[in-house]
Structures are given as structure tokens and as C-alpha cells.
Amino acid sequence: MAEQGKKGGSPGISAHSKIDSLEPHREDLTGTVLSTDQGIRIDSTDDSLKAGARGPTLLEDFHLREKITHFDHERIPERVVHARGSGAHGYFQVYESMAEYTRAAFLQDPSVRTPVFVRFSTVVGSRGSADTVRDVRGFATKFYTPEGNFDLVGNNIPVFFIQDGIKFPDVIHAIKPEPDREIPQASSAHDTFWDFISLMPESTHMIMWVLSDRAIPRSFRMMEGFGVHTFRFVNAQGKSRFVKLHWKPLLGVHSHVWDEAQELAGRDPDYHRRDLWDAIERGDHPEYELGVQIIEEEDEFAFDFDLLDATKIVPEELVPVRRIGKLTLNRNPDNFFAETEQVAFHTANIVPGIDFTDDPLLHVRNFSYLDTQLLRLGGPNFPQIPINRPLAPVHNQNQDGFMQQRIKQGRAHYLPNSLAGGCPMTASWESGAFVHHAERVLGLKARLRSDTFKDHITQARLFWNSLSAPEKKHLIRAARFELGKVATREIRERMVARLGEVDADLGRLVAEAIGVAAPAGQPQVPSKGTATGKRSVGASPALSMENTVKDTVKSRLVAVLAADGFSAAELAAVKAALEAAGAHAQVVSTRLGTIHGDDGSAVEAERSLLTARSVMFDAVYVPGGRASVEALAATGEAVQFVNEAFKHCKAIGATGDGVALLSSSPLQGVALAGASGAGPLVSDKGVVTLRDPAGLVPFSHELLRAIAQHRHWDREDVAQI
Ligand code: HDE
């Protein structure tokens, strides 16, 4: 297991592991000799074969031709959606047997670690587009279970734009760059998208999510995942129940602010990919709990929405999410192309014990993924690519096709046969076969939409009503931005009318910023549930990110602004406290390299004010030391660094003379230590300052608390974002 050793080991992925099964395909070039693809050793790869040093290149140079030809064929088509992605390996472990609900083998035994590969993605942008754009994020997980691969191909938003998959090409054509001018890249803020949405009432709930902070996550490690559709769990006795699947990140659900996300798209377009990679390399393994909402079949019609409608959630307050296991991502891919690019997820990759419902979005997906992969991966043998291979044995009579890797023996490639003893034989439910749930189906063949799918406003309003005041403000600003980029006035009018249906204030506040009349106020109609006696809620606290995990600084990045002459005692004490709590402190200085403290001690400045901006960090700390603070203040960039962190509502700390750097920046309305009347330790709106070095312990404690809050929205009253 040389590879495992190289990556520092992968706890949990041992004997019966994906790495083991892939090992023959992994290649370490260390100590090898250069050869052609035919295994011929090569004497030089720096000069082509020529007739004389200045003469023509010869066709005879088979090494040159092979090398260039292979290069010419390196690209494969990018995914038609979700082209930009980042992957990671890990494992899943169930907390306790779920046998009562499902016979799926990987959900039975808490001692078993099932290997997984996860790919996170944006939806709209091309492969090279920026990570931090406003968009839905894909969260696709391949479980390599002993019964075959199970793919949970989810998103970080629990609903979708459309109810029937036949509309998928339309929504994607509308949101992708406009076909005549091929702009904008990776953005929904343009006419065609909002034109389509304004004519599609069923998208109302989804666009509330897309306009919310959920669509600009701080990290893949800090977002939820959702299976979106209602699936089935089926137990060994064949009893079926409905199930909604969730991923709950242990670090909580956190987002960027819009201005920060936009700046990052320029300053570090790989921000999320880098964040995931670095976290795993550092040992900050992302963790998510698998949550299930289980609904008895008898309750299929108990709610004020249809369980088959992918534009609806099952509010957690109606059906609690039970956390049944944990996903841990602990290993970066060895090769982006071979793994992250070639991985092929498919909603129809399902194992016994899990099954589909009649969600019309899901049914189209069950067709689409295989179809698109045939094109993208060049033929029907892509399941044989190492990252896609199941751990479970594969035996069937599929044969031939481009890039066939298997050499099947024998001549009876058909069933039934007698020449091969009837093999491979079929199995039964009892012996591990997938047997489709025997659902009774009755209906007229017609292009229809169920009446139970036709309420498009109640849950959009539920989402809006469940947000905190800052989240509402952000959503309004997002709508102003998106619609403000729409040139066609009628589209803007139609959209504010729709937003006004969700909430009159929302419609009015957006309208007034985008040059259209406020929509006529809509009466707050009670939800259908209230009218029909079905199960419903008016607000769902689980939908607000305000109620997420806010008690940890684990894996957070804190910039320490320091230059020669910094207070060594202050920096050391605060850095130690941050690191003890699981955060990471990085010194940012006027230049890279070693800088010296006031006692002559040395620290390494890993980043400079030229290469690092506050948007790349979760918080800022400025230690004292007059020379250090004066050198920083002289650059202007350090002041901008602090200002921006303030504007983006991040925790800021300063001790001793470091407080002076804060005083030189316009942190409006914030009390600082040592300012007239303020005491030695002051904590105000996430800005924590200390004049008296004796108080470093309570200071660090307070700074950690401020960082754990993630953002201090109470500043938004004074800062224009
Ligand atoms: Fe996808 N989707 N999708 N989608 N989707 C693809 O498959 C499609 C939908 C999702 O990291 C494609 O291999 C249709 C919902 C993720 O490789 C394609 C419909 C959800 C990924 C496709 C949907 C998703 C994809 C493009 C409506 C959340 C990336 C390349 C019926 C539950 C997987 C590919 C990865 C990728 C089709 C709707 C999630 C074209 C037709 C709803 C995370 O097959």
C-alpha cells in the first residue's frame, strides 16, 4: 500500500478497500524509465528526429508522433452541466443498523466502512469557471458497497427549478451563456434565465434558495446536501417507506457574503477547490452526517404538498431528520482527470433496499445520466474505468464496444445457455438481487401534470418567512443584483410580480431598486395545509442558516497581520490559542519570508499583502509591536485588509499597538479598547481588542467566540455590502 503511505494513510480504508481494488491501476513514476505506450525505452524527449541539426523533422519519429497525437486527444467533452467540480475520497459508516427500514448492506453494520468518492460542483459554469459564483452546488456521492455502487447524486439545495425532467434542457439553455454572444459565463444574472423563470411559476421556491446565501457557500465543507427526490427504503421483508436523504455538515452551514464571493472569483477562482484540497491535506477531514426523513406509505397524502414533487421539501419540523451515519472525506485524488473528471454518477445506480418513486424529475434523470456519459466518456465501457468500477463482482454478457478492458472467456455470451452451464445465473431478492418494488400503477397515458403539483407559492413563502432579517436582506440584494442585470424591462416586471406573490415587501423592495413599479400587494393567503387540514408549517427554523452550528472554529483560517518588530508574546499566545481550538493562523506580512519579533524570535510570513486578501481568510488578528504596526500601516494594504474583513462582517482581533491599526481604519461605530471610556478588553460587533497584555487569555477566548459566530451581521447597519 505504497500509495496510502504516501498520503499519510487513510484510516478506515483498509483490507477490502477501493484503494486496494484500484491499486493495480495507480501508477507511481518514481524511479521508472521513460518509454512509449508500447514499452519501448526512449533516449531523448527534448529534440525531435531531424535530418541534420537544422534540417526537417522526420516522420519516422514514432515517439514524437505518439506524444503529440496523445496530447491532441487529451480533452474529453466537459459535462453539459456541473462541468466545474472537485473530488475527494473517503468512507461512510452507519451509526446503527437500519435493517428495520432498509436491507441495503452498507446501512446494516456500524463496524463497516464503505469507501466513497464524492464530487462537488457548480452547475452552470464551464470547467475553468470560478468557484464562488452564485449557483447551486452539486454534491454527488458514489458508495462502493458490497452489493454494487449506490450513487446519491444530490445538490446543496433541497428542491429544483422544474417538476418534470422534460423541462431540463429549457432551464439549462436559459441559464447557460446566451447562444448568440456566449455570455455571461457561470452566471444566472442575464435576460434569458430570468425570462424563462418569470414564465415558470413552478421555479418560485427554487429561486428563493438560489437568491439566498445558500448559493454562495463558504466551503464545500460547510454546506448541506440533499437527495432532492423522495426515494424509498425497502426492508428485507419487502416493506417500503418513503425517504428523503440529507447530508448535514458537522462544521455547520456557512456562506460568503456576495461582495466577497465576487472578489474571490477574481483573486482566487479556485477558492473552493483549494479549500477542500488544503483541508484534507491538513487533516481537517470534512464530515457530514447522513440524515433521513422516513415517511410511512400510509402518509403519502398527509402533507399540503405532493411527495413526488421535487419543488417541495418535507419540513424538518413535520418529519424530523434522523442522523444515521457519517461520511468522512480523508484523501485527495491522485489524478484529477482519471478520478474527478472520469467519475460517472447516475441516479439509477441503486442497490437492493433503496428504490425510486414516481417523481417525474427522477425518472428523466434515470435516463439522462447514462446517456450523457456514453458521449462524454466515449462509449459503453466507462463503468470499467477504475474510479467507476464497483467493488462488487461484475458478471454479465455485455461485450465489445470502444475500449473494452475485459477479456471474457468462453463462447456462450447469451442467456439462457447450456454451453456455460447457464452462467452467469440470476439471483433472487433473498440471494441479493435488486427486485423493483411492486408498486401498483394505474393511469391514462397522457402528457399530464398532477393537480397536487400546482401550488408554487406556499413553500417559497415558507422559506422566506423562515429566514432571519440579515438573510432576508441578502436575498433582496441578490434579487436586485440579478434582475438589475436584466435589460428587458418586461422580464423585470414579471419577476417582481412573482416575488410580490411570495411576499409583498419583497416584491416592493426589489422593484424600487430595479426601475419598475412595485407589484400590487398580495394578500397573505393561508397555506393550503391550513385550508385542507393537511400537515403544514408556517415557518421552519431549520431553513435559516442563523440556526446552524456556531460553536467551533475548527479548520478556520485566521490571517495574522505582522511585520518586523511584532510583539512576540502576543502573537505566540494568540496563535497557540487559535491552533489549540483547531483553527489555523497564517502570518501575512509586507513581504514573504522570515520576520522577527520584538524579542528577536523568528516567524515565517507564508503570505504577503500582495498575494493575500482578507477574502481568503475567516478572521484577522493584529498583534502589537510598534514597528510592526507602523510598517503595516505605511502600506495602506493592511488597512484595506482590515477594512474589508470588517465590511464582510468577519471577526477581527487586535492587541497592544495592533489596536492602532484598527483605529486608522474607518470601523464605524465600533468601540475599541483604549478609546475614550473603553476598558482594556473590548468586544463589540465581532471586533475584539485588548490594550493590556495581561489579558491575553480572556482576549483569545473572546476572539475564538467571535470567529465561531462566522459573521457579525449586526455590522451591516453600518457597513454597505
Ligand atoms: Fe443532474 N445532470 N439532471 N441534477 N446532476 C448531470 O450528468 C439532469 C438534477 C446533479 O459530479 C449530468 O454526468 C436532468 C437534480 C449533479 O459528475 C446530466 C435533470 C439534481 C451532477 C444531468 C437533472 C442534479 C449532475 C451532466 C432533470 C440534484 C454532477 C453530466 C430531470 C438532486 C454529477 C452528467 C458529477 C449532472 C441531467 C436534475 C444533480 C446531463 C435531465 C434535481 C450533482 O446527465
Side-chain angles (χ1 to χ4, degrees), residues 93-291:
Q93 212 166 358
V94 72
Y95 290 147
E96 56 184 318
S97 171
M98 294 299 289
E100 184 184 349
Y101 302 105
T102 172
R103 58 160 290 181
F106 78 106
L107 295 176
Q108 305 300 315
D109 183 350
S111 71
V112 170
R113 291 180 164 184
T114 302
V116 301
F117 185 76
V118 171
R119 184 174 179 275
F120 300 107
S121 50
T122 52
V123 177
V124 181
S126 297
R127 256 191 72 174
S129 58
D131 279 343
T132 57
V133 296
R134 176 174 299 283
D135 198 356
V136 183
R137 298 299 185 286
F139 188 148
T141 308
K142 191 178 282 292
F143 297 79
Y144 302 92
T145 90
E147 294 175 315
N149 288 351
F150 168 53
D151 293 354
L152 179 53
V153 199
N155 280 342
N156 76 327
I157 289 180
V159 290
F160 203 61
F161 293 102
I162 50 172
Q163 295 174 319
D164 188 318
I166 198 168
K167 297 305 295 169
F168 193 65
D170 298 293
V171 65
I172 299 304
H173 291 173
I175 201 169
K176 282 273 189 181
E178 299 187 10
D180 50 357
R181 59 209 75 180
E182 182 70 3
I183 47 178
Q185 177 55 247
S187 170
S188 50
H190 59 118
D191 282 46
T192 56
F193 178 63
W194 290 104
D195 182 26
F196 175 79
I197 294 296
S198 67
L199 299 168
M200 287 287 289
E202 71 200 57
S203 65
T204 310
H205 188 193
M206 177 71 172
I207 58 138
M208 296 297 288
W209 285 81
V210 170
L211 292 173
S212 80
D213 292 342
R214 300 269 184 158
I216 43 172
R218 153 67 179 82
S219 163
F220 293 137
R221 302 177 293 122
M222 299 171 200
M223 60 184 206
E224 290 180 304
F226 302 93
V228 174
H229 313 280
T230 302
F231 292 90
R232 286 176 191 279
F233 267 174
V234 185
N235 68 15
Q237 293 71 45
K239 180 168 172 53
S240 155
R241 296 177 176 88
F242 297 114
V243 63
K244 288 272 186 186
L245 298 165
H246 300 242
W247 289 119
K248 299 279 189 186
L250 292 193
L251 294 177
V253 190
H254 301 287
S255 287
H256 282 129
V257 296
W258 175 234
D259 181 66
E260 182 188 14
Q262 284 194 291
E263 194 180 322
L264 274 171
R267 295 199 183 275
D268 187 3
D270 307 303
Y271 182 81
H272 283 146
R273 181 175 291 177
R274 190 188 311 285
D275 170 89
L276 179 66
W277 180 277
D278 287 352
I280 292 174
E281 290 298 302
R282 275 198 304 259
D284 287 329
H285 296 157
E287 294 174 312
Y288 311 79
E289 286 181 313
L290 181 65

Side-chain angles (χ1 to χ4, degrees), residues 79-82 119 121 138-140 153-155 160 162 165 168 226-229 343 345 361 364-365 368-369 372-373 376:
R79 288 166 175 77
V80 55
V81 284
H82 296 265
R119 184 174 179 275
S121 50
F139 188 148
V153 199
N155 280 342
F160 203 61
I162 50 172
F168 193 65
F226 302 93
V228 174
H229 313 280
V343 68
F345 296 95
L361 200 66
V364 177
R365 294 182 75 196
S368 177
Y369 288 70
T372 200
Q373 282 146 14
R376 187 169 71 80

Side-chain angles (χ1 to χ4, degrees), residues 554-567:
K554 204 169 164 288
S555 83
R556 296 296 183 147
L557 270 188
V558 182
V560 178
L561 294 186
D564 282 325
F566 63 85
S567 162

Side-chain angles (χ1 to χ4, degrees), residues 48-89:
S48 53
L49 189 69
K50 299 185 194 72
R54 300 181 61 249
T57 297
L58 300 178
L59 201 56
E60 182 183 327
D61 189 347
F62 56 84
H63 168 52
L64 166 74
R65 281 188 288 113
E66 182 194 79
K67 185 174 174 180
I68 297 298
T69 306
H70 200 280
F71 169 77
D72 291 344
H73 293 250
E74 277 178 8
R75 294 289 169 272
I76 61 170
E78 66 173 32
R79 288 166 175 77
V80 55
V81 284
H82 296 265
R84 169 89 186 161
S86 307
H89 293 271

